[in-house]
Amino acid sequence: MRDLGAGHFRAGPVGAAEAAEAVGAVDAVGAGGSGAGRFGARRFRTALARALLTTLLALSLVGGAAGWASASGEAVAGGPPPGTAAWRADDSFGARLPDPVTASPAEVAAFFAGLSGPQRHRLVAAHPGVVGNLDGVPVALRYEANAAAGPHVLAYDPRGRGLVARVVGDLDTATHVAVVVPGSDIDLASSARLTRWATDLREAAGEDTAVIAWAGYTTPDGIGVDLATGRLAEAGAKRLTRFTEGLDAAGLPAPALFCHSYGSVVCGLAASRTDARDLVVMGSPGMRADNVAALRTGAHVWAAESPHDWITHVPHTEFLGLGHGPGPTSPGFGATVLPATDVPAHDAYFTPGTSTLTAFGAIAGGELR
C-alpha cells in the first residue's frame, strides 16, 4: 500500500482526485491484500475505511496549519435573508410583515395574495433581499427583486460564498419541474457549471419542463471533514425542504430532485419532508439511510453510478458519524438503477448524448415512472 502519511497531503484543501486515489488504495488492499485472508475482503475493507475516515477527521481537526481548516468547519448559510432587519421594522402596511424565519411559505403566499399590485412592487423596491429570497413569494416578484443578478433568478444571496437559484425554462407554463441539487464546491462563483447541467437536463426533458439550478445551501469546500459528515447536509436539507414548500405554495407541480454527489446526502435527509415525485441520485457517497424504505418518502428513488466515477472507490460505510452509509445503486438499497456506463467522469452525468442524461430527461419530463 502507498505511503499515505502526512507528507502525502499538500497544503490547502485536498483535491477530489487525491482523495479518490487514497481511498482507491484502501479498496485495492481490501480486495487482495494480506488482511483479506484474515478478516475476509469485505470486513477488511470496512475496517480500513473506518480507519481512513477517522484519520480524515483527525487531520481536519489538527491540520489547520497545513490548510485543512479551510476545507472543514464551513460557516453554514441558514439565517434570514439579507435585509431582514429593515423588513421586520417596516410598519407601513399597518401590520407586521410575515417573518422570514418563522412564517411558513404557505403563510407568505397568503400574505402576498392579499396585496394589490402596487403594494407588491413597493415591497420589491424597498426590500429586494427579502422578497427575492423568501419562499412563498410569487415567482414573478422574486425575478423582479433579483433582476440585478440576471434573468430568471429565483434566489440570490451574495453573502459569504454566496447562494443562487436560476431557472431554465418557464415556471409559469411548465407541466413538470425539476431541481438540480449540487455536491461539493458549488457556490455563487462556480454556479455556471450547475446552470449548464440544468440547461442540458431541460434540453433532454423538453420545453414543457422547467429546471432550477439550486445552489441554495453551503456545500463542502474541498476535501475535509465536512465532506464525510452530515453537518452541511442537515442544514442544506432544511433549506431544500423550505424551498420545495415554496414551490408548492406558488402552485407549481411537485418537483423531481436530481441530486449529485454530496447533494444526494442533502436529498436523503430531506426526502421525508418534501413533496418530490422523484428522487434521482448520481455519483452518491450514500444518503444517510440504509435503504429506500428508511428514506420515508413517496417519491420514486432512482440511482446512477458510472464505473468511471471515482466515487466507486469510496467505501459506503458509516462510523461514528463519518461516511454516509450504503450506496444507492447497491442491490439491497431498493432504488431503480439507471444506466451510466457511458458517463466518463464524476461530474459528467448530465453530458449530452449519454444514456444517463436521456433517462434523466425522461424522468424530469414525466415520461419515465
Side-chain angles (χ1 to χ4, degrees), residues 122-148:
R122 194 173 88 201
L123 284 177
V124 170
H127 308 286
V130 174
V131 176
N133 291 282
L134 189 55
D135 295 311
V137 171
V139 170
L141 288 182
R142 293 180 73 165
Y143 285 168
E144 182 181 341
N146 295 318

PDB file of all heavy atoms in Angstrom, residues 122-148:
ATOM      1  N   ARG A 122     -44.036  47.800  -4.321  1.00  0.00           N
ATOM      2  CA  ARG A 122     -43.434  48.654  -3.306  1.00  0.00           C
ATOM      3  C   ARG A 122     -42.534  47.836  -2.387  1.00  0.00           C
ATOM      4  O   ARG A 122     -41.445  48.266  -1.999  1.00  0.00           O
ATOM      5  CB  ARG A 122     -44.524  49.349  -2.493  1.00  0.00           C
ATOM      6  CG  ARG A 122     -43.997  50.515  -1.639  1.00  0.00           C
ATOM      7  CD  ARG A 122     -45.131  51.261  -0.999  1.00  0.00           C
ATOM      8  NE  ARG A 122     -45.490  50.662   0.290  1.00  0.00           N
ATOM      9  CZ  ARG A 122     -46.656  50.835   0.888  1.00  0.00           C
ATOM     10  NH1 ARG A 122     -47.608  51.531   0.303  1.00  0.00           N
ATOM     11  NH2 ARG A 122     -46.889  50.291   2.068  1.00  0.00           N
ATOM     12  N   LEU A 123     -42.974  46.633  -2.033  1.00  0.00           N
ATOM     13  CA  LEU A 123     -42.143  45.761  -1.204  1.00  0.00           C
ATOM     14  C   LEU A 123     -40.891  45.301  -1.950  1.00  0.00           C
ATOM     15  O   LEU A 123     -39.812  45.195  -1.360  1.00  0.00           O
ATOM     16  CB  LEU A 123     -42.948  44.556  -0.728  1.00  0.00           C
ATOM     17  CG  LEU A 123     -43.945  44.802   0.403  1.00  0.00           C
ATOM     18  CD1 LEU A 123     -44.725  43.530   0.705  1.00  0.00           C
ATOM     19  CD2 LEU A 123     -43.235  45.295   1.659  1.00  0.00           C
ATOM     20  N   VAL A 124     -41.026  45.036  -3.226  1.00  0.00           N
ATOM     21  CA  VAL A 124     -39.864  44.659  -4.027  1.00  0.00           C
ATOM     22  C   VAL A 124     -38.830  45.777  -4.023  1.00  0.00           C
ATOM     23  O   VAL A 124     -37.624  45.551  -3.825  1.00  0.00           O
ATOM     24  CB  VAL A 124     -40.275  44.318  -5.472  1.00  0.00           C
ATOM     25  CG1 VAL A 124     -39.035  44.170  -6.351  1.00  0.00           C
ATOM     26  CG2 VAL A 124     -41.088  43.041  -5.520  1.00  0.00           C
ATOM     27  N   ALA A 125     -39.293  47.001  -4.226  1.00  0.00           N
ATOM     28  CA  ALA A 125     -38.379  48.142  -4.278  1.00  0.00           C
ATOM     29  C   ALA A 125     -37.730  48.407  -2.927  1.00  0.00           C
ATOM     30  O   ALA A 125     -36.536  48.750  -2.846  1.00  0.00           O
ATOM     31  CB  ALA A 125     -39.127  49.386  -4.754  1.00  0.00           C
ATOM     32  N   ALA A 126     -38.490  48.235  -1.850  1.00  0.00           N
ATOM     33  CA  ALA A 126     -37.979  48.549  -0.511  1.00  0.00           C
ATOM     34  C   ALA A 126     -37.141  47.425   0.077  1.00  0.00           C
ATOM     35  O   ALA A 126     -36.195  47.685   0.835  1.00  0.00           O
ATOM     36  CB  ALA A 126     -39.147  48.871   0.426  1.00  0.00           C
ATOM     37  N   HIS A 127     -37.464  46.185  -0.262  1.00  0.00           N
ATOM     38  CA  HIS A 127     -36.809  45.033   0.379  1.00  0.00           C
ATOM     39  C   HIS A 127     -36.464  43.942  -0.638  1.00  0.00           C
ATOM     40  O   HIS A 127     -36.922  42.794  -0.520  1.00  0.00           O
ATOM     41  CB  HIS A 127     -37.729  44.446   1.455  1.00  0.00           C
ATOM     42  CG  HIS A 127     -38.236  45.441   2.434  1.00  0.00           C
ATOM     43  ND1 HIS A 127     -37.462  45.997   3.434  1.00  0.00           N
ATOM     44  CD2 HIS A 127     -39.485  45.999   2.574  1.00  0.00           C
ATOM     45  CE1 HIS A 127     -38.179  46.826   4.156  1.00  0.00           C
ATOM     46  NE2 HIS A 127     -39.411  46.861   3.662  1.00  0.00           N
ATOM     47  N   PRO A 128     -35.629  44.247  -1.627  1.00  0.00           N
ATOM     48  CA  PRO A 128     -35.338  43.222  -2.644  1.00  0.00           C
ATOM     49  C   PRO A 128     -34.654  41.986  -2.087  1.00  0.00           C
ATOM     50  O   PRO A 128     -34.885  40.868  -2.561  1.00  0.00           O
ATOM     51  CB  PRO A 128     -34.425  43.967  -3.634  1.00  0.00           C
ATOM     52  CG  PRO A 128     -33.837  45.088  -2.828  1.00  0.00           C
ATOM     53  CD  PRO A 128     -34.914  45.490  -1.865  1.00  0.00           C
ATOM     54  N   GLY A 129     -33.811  42.151  -1.056  1.00  0.00           N
ATOM     55  CA  GLY A 129     -33.110  40.998  -0.498  1.00  0.00           C
ATOM     56  C   GLY A 129     -34.025  39.991   0.153  1.00  0.00           C
ATOM     57  O   GLY A 129     -33.785  38.781   0.093  1.00  0.00           O
ATOM     58  N   VAL A 130     -35.096  40.492   0.780  1.00  0.00           N
ATOM     59  CA  VAL A 130     -36.060  39.584   1.413  1.00  0.00           C
ATOM     60  C   VAL A 130     -37.018  39.017   0.376  1.00  0.00           C
ATOM     61  O   VAL A 130     -37.205  37.792   0.287  1.00  0.00           O
ATOM     62  CB  VAL A 130     -36.835  40.308   2.532  1.00  0.00           C
ATOM     63  CG1 VAL A 130     -37.937  39.394   3.085  1.00  0.00           C
ATOM     64  CG2 VAL A 130     -35.894  40.723   3.648  1.00  0.00           C
ATOM     65  N   VAL A 131     -37.622  39.869  -0.428  1.00  0.00           N
ATOM     66  CA  VAL A 131     -38.604  39.407  -1.414  1.00  0.00           C
ATOM     67  C   VAL A 131     -37.973  38.415  -2.387  1.00  0.00           C
ATOM     68  O   VAL A 131     -38.588  37.406  -2.759  1.00  0.00           O
ATOM     69  CB  VAL A 131     -39.217  40.599  -2.172  1.00  0.00           C
ATOM     70  CG1 VAL A 131     -40.164  40.112  -3.274  1.00  0.00           C
ATOM     71  CG2 VAL A 131     -39.948  41.528  -1.218  1.00  0.00           C
ATOM     72  N   GLY A 132     -36.730  38.662  -2.766  1.00  0.00           N
ATOM     73  CA  GLY A 132     -36.070  37.789  -3.738  1.00  0.00           C
ATOM     74  C   GLY A 132     -35.661  36.444  -3.203  1.00  0.00           C
ATOM     75  O   GLY A 132     -35.347  35.541  -3.985  1.00  0.00           O
ATOM     76  N   ASN A 133     -35.665  36.270  -1.896  1.00  0.00           N
ATOM     77  CA  ASN A 133     -35.213  35.003  -1.298  1.00  0.00           C
ATOM     78  C   ASN A 133     -36.249  34.331  -0.422  1.00  0.00           C
ATOM     79  O   ASN A 133     -35.986  33.264   0.136  1.00  0.00           O
ATOM     80  CB  ASN A 133     -33.957  35.258  -0.450  1.00  0.00           C
ATOM     81  CG  ASN A 133     -32.744  35.606  -1.278  1.00  0.00           C
ATOM     82  OD1 ASN A 133     -32.113  34.747  -1.876  1.00  0.00           O
ATOM     83  ND2 ASN A 133     -32.412  36.891  -1.326  1.00  0.00           N
ATOM     84  N   LEU A 134     -37.430  34.941  -0.304  1.00  0.00           N
ATOM     85  CA  LEU A 134     -38.435  34.438   0.634  1.00  0.00           C
ATOM     86  C   LEU A 134     -39.325  33.403  -0.047  1.00  0.00           C
ATOM     87  O   LEU A 134     -40.085  33.712  -0.969  1.00  0.00           O
ATOM     88  CB  LEU A 134     -39.283  35.606   1.152  1.00  0.00           C
ATOM     89  CG  LEU A 134     -40.242  35.313   2.297  1.00  0.00           C
ATOM     90  CD1 LEU A 134     -39.518  34.701   3.495  1.00  0.00           C
ATOM     91  CD2 LEU A 134     -40.969  36.598   2.713  1.00  0.00           C
ATOM     92  N   ASP A 135     -39.219  32.166   0.403  1.00  0.00           N
ATOM     93  CA  ASP A 135     -40.013  31.090  -0.185  1.00  0.00           C
ATOM     94  C   ASP A 135     -41.490  31.319   0.097  1.00  0.00           C
ATOM     95  O   ASP A 135     -41.887  31.583   1.235  1.00  0.00           O
ATOM     96  CB  ASP A 135     -39.561  29.744   0.380  1.00  0.00           C
ATOM     97  CG  ASP A 135     -38.139  29.410  -0.017  1.00  0.00           C
ATOM     98  OD1 ASP A 135     -37.823  29.511  -1.207  1.00  0.00           O
ATOM     99  OD2 ASP A 135     -37.329  29.078   0.870  1.00  0.00           O
ATOM    100  N   GLY A 136     -42.295  31.232  -0.969  1.00  0.00           N
ATOM    101  CA  GLY A 136     -43.715  31.521  -0.877  1.00  0.00           C
ATOM    102  C   GLY A 136     -44.093  32.780  -1.631  1.00  0.00           C
ATOM    103  O   GLY A 136     -45.256  32.973  -1.988  1.00  0.00           O
ATOM    104  N   VAL A 137     -43.114  33.653  -1.905  1.00  0.00           N
ATOM    105  CA  VAL A 137     -43.353  34.848  -2.713  1.00  0.00           C
ATOM    106  C   VAL A 137     -43.601  34.409  -4.159  1.00  0.00           C
ATOM    107  O   VAL A 137     -42.925  33.505  -4.663  1.00  0.00           O
ATOM    108  CB  VAL A 137     -42.142  35.801  -2.644  1.00  0.00           C
ATOM    109  CG1 VAL A 137     -42.284  36.946  -3.641  1.00  0.00           C
ATOM    110  CG2 VAL A 137     -41.978  36.350  -1.227  1.00  0.00           C
ATOM    111  N   PRO A 138     -44.548  35.023  -4.874  1.00  0.00           N
ATOM    112  CA  PRO A 138     -44.797  34.658  -6.271  1.00  0.00           C
ATOM    113  C   PRO A 138     -43.520  34.736  -7.116  1.00  0.00           C
ATOM    114  O   PRO A 138     -42.675  35.618  -6.911  1.00  0.00           O
ATOM    115  CB  PRO A 138     -45.823  35.701  -6.727  1.00  0.00           C
ATOM    116  CG  PRO A 138     -46.556  36.078  -5.477  1.00  0.00           C
ATOM    117  CD  PRO A 138     -45.513  36.034  -4.392  1.00  0.00           C
ATOM    118  N   VAL A 139     -43.399  33.817  -8.052  1.00  0.00           N
ATOM    119  CA  VAL A 139     -42.189  33.696  -8.869  1.00  0.00           C
ATOM    120  C   VAL A 139     -41.848  35.007  -9.566  1.00  0.00           C
ATOM    121  O   VAL A 139     -40.692  35.453  -9.558  1.00  0.00           O
ATOM    122  CB  VAL A 139     -42.360  32.563  -9.899  1.00  0.00           C
ATOM    123  CG1 VAL A 139     -41.225  32.584 -10.922  1.00  0.00           C
ATOM    124  CG2 VAL A 139     -42.422  31.212  -9.194  1.00  0.00           C
ATOM    125  N   ALA A 140     -42.819  35.653 -10.175  1.00  0.00           N
ATOM    126  CA  ALA A 140     -42.551  36.882 -10.928  1.00  0.00           C
ATOM    127  C   ALA A 140     -41.957  37.966 -10.041  1.00  0.00           C
ATOM    128  O   ALA A 140     -41.075  38.728 -10.473  1.00  0.00           O
ATOM    129  CB  ALA A 140     -43.829  37.384 -11.587  1.00  0.00           C
ATOM    130  N   LEU A 141     -42.415  38.054  -8.797  1.00  0.00           N
ATOM    131  CA  LEU A 141     -41.878  39.058  -7.880  1.00  0.00           C
ATOM    132  C   LEU A 141     -40.445  38.725  -7.461  1.00  0.00           C
ATOM    133  O   LEU A 141     -39.610  39.617  -7.286  1.00  0.00           O
ATOM    134  CB  LEU A 141     -42.767  39.175  -6.642  1.00  0.00           C
ATOM    135  CG  LEU A 141     -44.126  39.848  -6.822  1.00  0.00           C
ATOM    136  CD1 LEU A 141     -44.855  39.925  -5.485  1.00  0.00           C
ATOM    137  CD2 LEU A 141     -43.982  41.242  -7.422  1.00  0.00           C
ATOM    138  N   ARG A 142     -40.158  37.456  -7.310  1.00  0.00           N
ATOM    139  CA  ARG A 142     -38.786  37.062  -6.971  1.00  0.00           C
ATOM    140  C   ARG A 142     -37.850  37.381  -8.129  1.00  0.00           C
ATOM    141  O   ARG A 142     -36.723  37.861  -7.919  1.00  0.00           O
ATOM    142  CB  ARG A 142     -38.724  35.579  -6.595  1.00  0.00           C
ATOM    143  CG  ARG A 142     -39.465  35.267  -5.307  1.00  0.00           C
ATOM    144  CD  ARG A 142     -39.418  33.794  -4.925  1.00  0.00           C
ATOM    145  NE  ARG A 142     -38.105  33.390  -4.428  1.00  0.00           N
ATOM    146  CZ  ARG A 142     -37.893  32.248  -3.777  1.00  0.00           C
ATOM    147  NH1 ARG A 142     -38.902  31.413  -3.536  1.00  0.00           N
ATOM    148  NH2 ARG A 142     -36.689  31.934  -3.349  1.00  0.00           N
ATOM    149  N   TYR A 143     -38.298  37.149  -9.340  1.00  0.00           N
ATOM    150  CA  TYR A 143     -37.499  37.538 -10.504  1.00  0.00           C
ATOM    151  C   TYR A 143     -37.236  39.042 -10.488  1.00  0.00           C
ATOM    152  O   TYR A 143     -36.116  39.500 -10.741  1.00  0.00           O
ATOM    153  CB  TYR A 143     -38.231  37.168 -11.789  1.00  0.00           C
ATOM    154  CG  TYR A 143     -38.248  35.702 -12.155  1.00  0.00           C
ATOM    155  CD1 TYR A 143     -39.094  35.236 -13.159  1.00  0.00           C
ATOM    156  CD2 TYR A 143     -37.420  34.775 -11.531  1.00  0.00           C
ATOM    157  CE1 TYR A 143     -39.129  33.901 -13.518  1.00  0.00           C
ATOM    158  CE2 TYR A 143     -37.443  33.430 -11.876  1.00  0.00           C
ATOM    159  CZ  TYR A 143     -38.306  33.002 -12.876  1.00  0.00           C
ATOM    160  OH  TYR A 143     -38.336  31.676 -13.240  1.00  0.00           O
ATOM    161  N   GLU A 144     -38.269  39.807 -10.225  1.00  0.00           N
ATOM    162  CA  GLU A 144     -38.144  41.269 -10.209  1.00  0.00           C
ATOM    163  C   GLU A 144     -37.159  41.717  -9.131  1.00  0.00           C
ATOM    164  O   GLU A 144     -36.317  42.595  -9.366  1.00  0.00           O
ATOM    165  CB  GLU A 144     -39.521  41.894  -9.971  1.00  0.00           C
ATOM    166  CG  GLU A 144     -39.533  43.411  -9.991  1.00  0.00           C
ATOM    167  CD  GLU A 144     -40.917  43.979  -9.730  1.00  0.00           C
ATOM    168  OE1 GLU A 144     -41.919  43.242  -9.898  1.00  0.00           O
ATOM    169  OE2 GLU A 144     -41.005  45.170  -9.364  1.00  0.00           O
ATOM    170  N   ALA A 145     -37.260  41.117  -7.959  1.00  0.00           N
ATOM    171  CA  ALA A 145     -36.386  41.511  -6.856  1.00  0.00           C
ATOM    172  C   ALA A 145     -34.921  41.152  -7.126  1.00  0.00           C
ATOM    173  O   ALA A 145     -34.010  41.843  -6.663  1.00  0.00           O
ATOM    174  CB  ALA A 145     -36.853  40.851  -5.565  1.00  0.00           C
ATOM    175  N   ASN A 146     -34.687  40.079  -7.878  1.00  0.00           N
ATOM    176  CA  ASN A 146     -33.329  39.600  -8.149  1.00  0.00           C
ATOM    177  C   ASN A 146     -32.818  39.998  -9.524  1.00  0.00           C
ATOM    178  O   ASN A 146     -31.810  39.461  -9.998  1.00  0.00           O
ATOM    179  CB  ASN A 146     -33.280  38.077  -8.014  1.00  0.00           C
ATOM    180  CG  ASN A 146     -33.553  37.594  -6.612  1.00  0.00           C
ATOM    181  OD1 ASN A 146     -33.060  38.170  -5.649  1.00  0.00           O
ATOM    182  ND2 ASN A 146     -34.349  36.536  -6.483  1.00  0.00           N
ATOM    183  N   ALA A 147     -33.484  40.956 -10.166  1.00  0.00           N
ATOM    184  CA  ALA A 147     -33.156  41.311 -11.553  1.00  0.00           C
ATOM    185  C   ALA A 147     -31.707  41.751 -11.713  1.00  0.00           C
ATOM    186  O   ALA A 147     -31.090  41.522 -12.764  1.00  0.00           O
ATOM    187  CB  ALA A 147     -34.101  42.409 -12.039  1.00  0.00           C
ATOM    188  N   ALA A 148     -31.142  42.377 -10.702  1.00  0.00           N
ATOM    189  CA  ALA A 148     -29.754  42.827 -10.804  1.00  0.00           C
ATOM    190  C   ALA A 148     -28.782  41.663 -10.942  1.00  0.00           C
ATOM    191  O   ALA A 148     -27.655  41.840 -11.432  1.00  0.00           O
ATOM    192  CB  ALA A 148     -29.393  43.668  -9.585  1.00  0.00           C
TER     193      ALA A 148
END
